[in-house]
């Protein structure tokens, strides 16, 4: 982990957990058993992803479908108050301490964004929960009890988005190429990437799991919204679907302070891009040189060998 510490200003301690060697802060072990043995409720709705795979986008869609397309309420209540981040208590420790004493809005935002496991466990129903943990680290009866929407995204785009996210929230100081090497070496939080996706892919036929590709969402969002509504057992008229699609259009989404709060821009590198970026697919091509393109192809081919998991073109 020395390579990681050289490129981040934080001094947090990292470790690996579970059979897949899940990369996480050492403090994760305090609640590891709680996550695995958590009591899941039938009326929970979960969104699971590897970070920067369209998580917030999907959360907003799911919440609105489950709350009768109440756009006014969604705009007024911050996402973190509508959709709890299961393991956020641990990821908050990566936020640079020097930033937390500078701005009152930032401090208030951070305090509202850091629930503990006990708070998630005790929250009233229905609970909306997001997680970046591998399925093998989540409750064993999760899918037998409630519905989960899982979103997968091309790892090259994930790496680009995660790089900007690390600059914004965790004071990453290196360049993208250095970050890419961390990413494919499973040295970023919530890695390894491919076991995360393949665990979900293996469960894709379970009636309580909906496996979605981010790329399909960007190509035909109305159809994806309709599929999610059907999966969740909710009625969605064409009019409501189109209104929802307009609501989560990237140009509107970036301006929506309930999902893209201004305090997040004050956490890390002032030159970083925002929490909500561009909502596009394929932008990795603008960041990769020839060596990285070949490296990515080789890495993806090796990790997908023996699997029928493929990313949409």
């Amino acid at each position: 982990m020395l390579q990681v510490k050289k490129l981040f200003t934080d001094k947090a301690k990292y470790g690996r957990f579970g059979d897949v060697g899940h990369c996480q802060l050492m403090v994760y072990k305090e609640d590891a058993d709680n996550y695995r043995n958590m009591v899941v409720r039938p009326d929970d709705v979960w969104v699971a992803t590897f970070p920067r795979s369209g998580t917030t986008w999907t959360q907003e869609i799911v919440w609105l479908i489950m709350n009768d397309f109440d756009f006014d309420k969604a705009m007024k209540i911050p996402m973190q108050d509508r959709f709890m981040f299961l393991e956020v208590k641990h990821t908050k420790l990566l936020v640079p301490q020097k930033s937390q004493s500078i701005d009152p809005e930032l401090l208030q935002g951070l305090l509202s964004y850091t629930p503990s496991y006990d708070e998630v466990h005790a929250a009233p129903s229905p609970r909306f929960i997001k997680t970046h943990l591998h399925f093998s680290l989540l409750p064993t009866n999760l899918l037998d009890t409630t519905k989960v929407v899982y979103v997968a995204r091309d790892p090259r785009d994930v790496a680009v988005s995660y790089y900007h996210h690390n600059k914004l929230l965790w004071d990453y100081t290196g360049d993208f190429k250095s970050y890419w090497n961390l990413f494919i070496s499973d040295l970023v939080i919530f890695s390894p990437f491919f076991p995360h996706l393949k665990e979900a892919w293996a469960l894709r036929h379970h009636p309580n799991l909906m496996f979605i590709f981010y790329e399909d969402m960007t190509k035909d969002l109305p159809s994806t919204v309709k599929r999610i509504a059907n999966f969740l057992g909710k009625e969605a008229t064409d009019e409501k679907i189109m209104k929802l699609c307009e609501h989560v259009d990237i140009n509107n989404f970036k301006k929506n302070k309930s999902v893209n709060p201004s305090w997040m821009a004050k956490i890390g590198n002032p030159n970083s891009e925002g929490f909500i970026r561009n909502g596009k697919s394929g932008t990795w091509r603008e960041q990769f040189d020839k060596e990285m393109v070949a490296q990515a192809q080789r890495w993806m081919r090796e990790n997908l060998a023996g699997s029928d998991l493929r990313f949409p073109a």
Side-chain angles (χ1 to χ4, degrees):
M1 295 296 181
L2 291 177
Q3 185 181 2
V4 178
K5 291 192 174 184
K6 289 179 181 178
L7 296 171
F8 288 85
T9 60
D10 72 90
K11 304 301 180 184
K13 294 182 179 180
Y14 300 79
R16 294 197 178 277
F17 301 88
D19 294 339
V20 298
H22 175 75
C23 181
Q24 188 55 271
L25 298 173
M26 288 300 293
V27 70
Y28 161 84
K29 64 183 179 181
E30 295 178 6
D31 280 318
D33 289 340
N34 286 333
Y35 297 141
R36 188 64 171 159
N37 300 312
M38 179 178 176
V39 176
V40 183
R41 303 174 193 167
D43 58 355
D44 285 346
V45 180
W46 292 51
V47 167
T49 67
F50 190 89
R52 308 309 292 176
S53 299
T55 317
T56 306
W57 200 22
T58 308
Q59 288 175 259
E60 186 76 341
I61 292 168
V62 167
W63 190 91
L64 281 164
I65 290 172
M66 292 298 295
N67 286 272
D68 300 319
F69 298 85
D70 192 339
F71 297 99
D72 290 338
K73 188 174 182 179
M75 293 286 285
K76 292 176 182 176
I77 303 176
M79 176 62 79
Q80 67 264 24
D81 294 333
R82 293 184 280 128
F83 229 112
M84 294 176 291
F85 186 178
L86 180 63
E87 60 274 10
V88 75
K89 181 178 74 170
H90 307 307
T91 59
K92 77 171 182 176
L93 297 179
L94 289 175
V95 176
Q97 295 296 316
K98 66 180 180 62
S99 299
Q100 294 185 21
S101 60
I102 293 175
D103 188 281
E105 182 190 16
L106 171 60
L107 181 59
Q108 183 178 0
L110 288 171
L111 291 174
S112 70
Y113 198 67
T114 53
S116 67
Y117 165 79
D118 292 334
E119 289 174 302
V120 175
H121 175 72
S125 294
R127 297 182 303 185
F128 294 89
I129 300 172
K130 90 164 183 180
T131 182
H132 294 315
L133 296 178
H134 290 63
F135 266 98
S136 57
L137 301 176
L138 293 173
T140 54
N141 67 336
L142 177 61
L143 290 181
D144 291 331
T145 307
T146 196
K147 292 185 179 294
V148 180
V149 177
Y150 185 93
V151 188
R153 187 182 188 185
D154 187 306
R156 294 164 293 191
D157 277 328
V158 169
V160 172
S161 184
Y162 211 6
Y163 159 70
H164 288 289
H165 188 68
N166 276 254
K167 288 205 308 179
L168 172 67
L169 298 183
W170 300 336
D171 264 10
Y172 174 75
T173 60
D175 60 12
F176 174 65
K177 194 166 188 175
S178 298
Y179 186 80
W180 168 248
N181 285 318
L182 293 180
F183 187 86
I184 63 175
S185 299
D186 301 331
L187 291 173
V188 299
I189 296 295
F190 297 109
S191 63
F193 177 83
F194 277 105
H196 198 294
L197 267 65
K198 288 196 284 188
E199 285 185 14
W201 184 251
L203 298 167
R204 69 191 184 280
H205 298 305
H206 194 290
N208 277 345
L209 177 67
M210 183 175 184
F211 190 106
I212 303 172
F213 285 105
Y214 180 89
E215 291 74 16
D216 290 337
M217 295 176 70
T218 61
K219 289 177 183 176
D220 188 354
L221 185 57
S223 294
T224 303
V225 171
K226 183 68 173 177
R227 287 178 54 214
I228 295 174
N230 289 339
F231 170 71
L232 296 174
K234 294 292 184 178
E235 182 179 351
T237 64
D238 291 343
E239 181 181 359
K240 288 181 178 179
I241 289 174
M242 294 313 298
K243 187 174 180 180
L244 191 156
C245 290
E246 181 180 358
H247 174 81
V248 298
D249 177 85
I250 189 62
N251 294 318
N252 295 325
F253 215 47
K254 292 176 75 170
K255 300 174 186 176
N256 184 346
K257 292 185 178 180
S258 73
V259 296
N260 193 26
S262 57
W263 60 264
M264 277 199 173
K266 302 176 181 180
I267 295 178
N269 189 331
N271 298 317
S272 61
E273 298 186 29
F275 177 67
I276 304 295
R277 292 183 60 246
N278 59 33
K280 297 179 181 178
S281 297
T283 58
W284 62 267
R285 294 179 178 86
E286 302 167 7
Q287 301 285 338
F288 280 54
D289 58 27
K290 290 183 179 179
E291 178 188 3
M292 295 167 70
V293 169
Q295 187 182 36
Q297 290 174 339
R298 182 171 59 252
W299 175 69
M300 293 172 69
R301 183 171 60 251
E302 290 173 354
N303 279 279
L304 290 174
S307 170
D308 59 353
L309 171 62
R310 296 294 182 270
F311 299 96

